[in-house]
Amino acid sequence: MGDWLYLVIAIAVLAVVLVAGLLVRGGRRAPSAPAPTPPADVAPPPSAPTAETAAEVEVPEAPVEPAAPALERPEGTASRLVRLRQRLAGSQSGLGRGLLALLSRDRLDEDTWESIEDTLLTADVGVAPTQELVERLRTRLRVEGAAEDARVVLREELLALVDAGMDRRLQVSGADGRPGVVLVVGVNGSGKTTTVGKISRILVAEDRSVVLGAADTFRAAAVEQLATWGERVGVDVVRGAEGTDPASVAFEAVKEGVDTAADTVIVDTAGRLQNKAGLMDELGKVKRVIEKQAPVTEVLLVLDATTGQNGLIQARVFSEVVDVTGIVLTKLDGSAKGGIVVQVQRELGVPVKLVGLGEGADDLAPFDPGAFVDALLG
Ligand code: GDP
């Protein structure tokens, strides 16, 4: 959009100069040989051409190069979080409201408890966590009784389920002057490359220097996509030719990070779900090669929230292959199944650290259990 605007303005200015030139010459034919270029020291400042000088200036016929695109400034943390919290509430509030309506009934009979269970299961909370939650709600509401407290009780119990005590900080800093290295894994289509791009923007917004490694060398489109993310915010993207060994790209990226004293290197990896042994070989090698230069500080598993049980099965495979330290749950904006947060954390014993809430460049937020439960309750 910005590039087009510059191009249109440049063309308009040229047109004005041309027309002014023709008018001043009064219909004289332009000389066939180009006028000698005035020496640089006498050339008028380009910003203030007079009709006289404009008339003498030869207009080059070569196409006008559009100005280099200005770097984007990623959205700042405060406004991003406010915006994304609203979006989270918009997508998830059905679950909490449904539960509250059921819990506020005059009589909490067996049918009602069954409906509560169904609501939780539909939102992908998972069987065991659902049964635990219902049991706790039954006990507390039986003892404490008052329906008006249902909201408070539900909030507390949901928060316990989401496990507010987990450490969700992203480990993006290295030690001993070396960069932090974030390895991003997950199946194709989960939103891995997009997430790498979004994380780099968050770090750039915090004035950190970042290098990206496009180690998903099996898909040219993924490499291109990552290069575009990098260009937009002025972040270097290390890439290899299609089919290059992913480990060598990862190595080069971390090397560049070390050489340029970058704060963080983020490495995108291939997400082919081949057999487990193949995946293990590939990711194992990437990690080993990286660690010749700097330890991997964070392994993020990207999971599409809309894929339910399938996503969980994939998550299990990845967590058996690499030591996952954090989960990024993408596409929560397109799913009312936020309960998957509970299941995946239980399954892997690893916290959800980030949530993707849209296709926009800055639609990634840290996962905040309190804000999440409040979004559920609407
Ligand atoms: P990859 O194959 O895992 O690298 O996946 P991509 O990063 O190419 O993403 C696949 C698609 O998911 C793209 O169309 C993204 O725009 C989209 N996507 C990624 N994250 C989100 C998200 O949080 N919300 C939504 N709605 N779409 C997302």
Side-chain angles (χ1 to χ4, degrees), residues 187-194 198 219 225 330-331 333 356-359:
V187 293
N188 291 343
S190 59
K192 203 161 31 75
T193 305
T194 306
K198 288 175 176 175
R219 296 186 303 159
Q225 195 187 333
T330 59
K331 311 186 195 180
D333 53 308
L357 286 161
E359 296 197 73

Side-chain angles (χ1 to χ4, degrees), residues 7 35 127-128 178 182 221 231 284-285 310:
L7 194 60
V127 177
R178 285 177 293 182
V182 181
E231 273 163 24
K285 185 173 173 198
N310 260 343

Side-chain angles (χ1 to χ4, degrees), residues 66-113:
L71 288 185
E72 286 177 23
R73 252 207 95 62
E75 186 174 4
T77 310
S79 87
R80 187 165 47 85
L81 292 187
V82 169
R83 188 170 58 75
L84 293 178
R85 258 179 209 174
Q86 283 165 356
R87 191 169 299 173
L88 184 64
S91 64
Q92 302 299 324
S93 59
L95 167 62
R97 262 192 263 125
L99 288 177
L100 274 179
L102 289 165
L103 289 170
S104 307
R105 285 187 182 170
D106 289 339
R107 259 173 49 81
L108 291 175
D109 54 20
E110 281 312 307
D111 280 353
T112 308
W113 285 113

